[in-house]
Amino acid sequence: MTDASVSWTDERVELLKKLWNDGLSASQIASELGGVTRNAVIGKVHRLGLSGRSKTAPATPAPRPRKPSPPRPAGPVAEPIEEEEIVMVRPEPIAPAIDASPITFAEARPSEVAIPTSQRVTIMDLREAMCRWPIGDPTNAEFRFCGGRSITGLPYCPEHAQIAYQPAADRRRDRKLMRA
């Protein structure tokens, strides 16, 4: 901390300018002046506009020649694989084949037909065009998804789409009936 009685007199400012132009650091100037901190010196230098001090080019030592280091391997060296060792195997489809022709929501009609057990699929067998309607308890090992052909652009088959996507008027009517 600086002593409050120490101020920047004209003599101290002149000495600051001389030391700054001589290339001394702010810490060296602060210790030379006494009673001021390095930050006080920096502040005064900026207020006086002395930030562009004359710089003498310091003698930079010539760069030392480096010895080339031996190249290191990037990682474990693997033996080249011969083409005879590569075997391509096409996996057999797990899920049953489905009809890829698209159906629209307008064609979807609810039916009272139960979902055959053979149509139900696990999450591992579920594919893009299959119905994702959950059947059963997810914590149970027998949990499955519908697996029927889904409506184009929707995750459900026509039967489950009718359950999932009810018109707003029907939902309001059903709520009124539930309250009564």
Side-chain angles (χ1 to χ4, degrees), residues 18 61 63 73-74 102 126 138-139 157 180:
K18 178 189 173 305
L126 199 59
T139 61
C157 65

Side-chain angles (χ1 to χ4, degrees), residues 59-112:
T60 56
R64 293 184 293 169
R66 291 186 171 205
K67 294 179 185 176
S69 59
R72 286 192 243 161
V77 179
E79 304 233 353
I81 300 173
E82 296 178 19
E83 284 190 41
E84 298 173 336
E85 296 176 26
I86 299 173
V87 177
M88 299 291 286
V89 178
R90 182 175 298 261
E92 294 296 321
I94 298 172
I98 57 171
D99 184 11
S101 61
I103 61 173
T104 63
F105 191 72
E107 296 171 0
R109 299 212 192 320
S111 67
E112 300 297 322

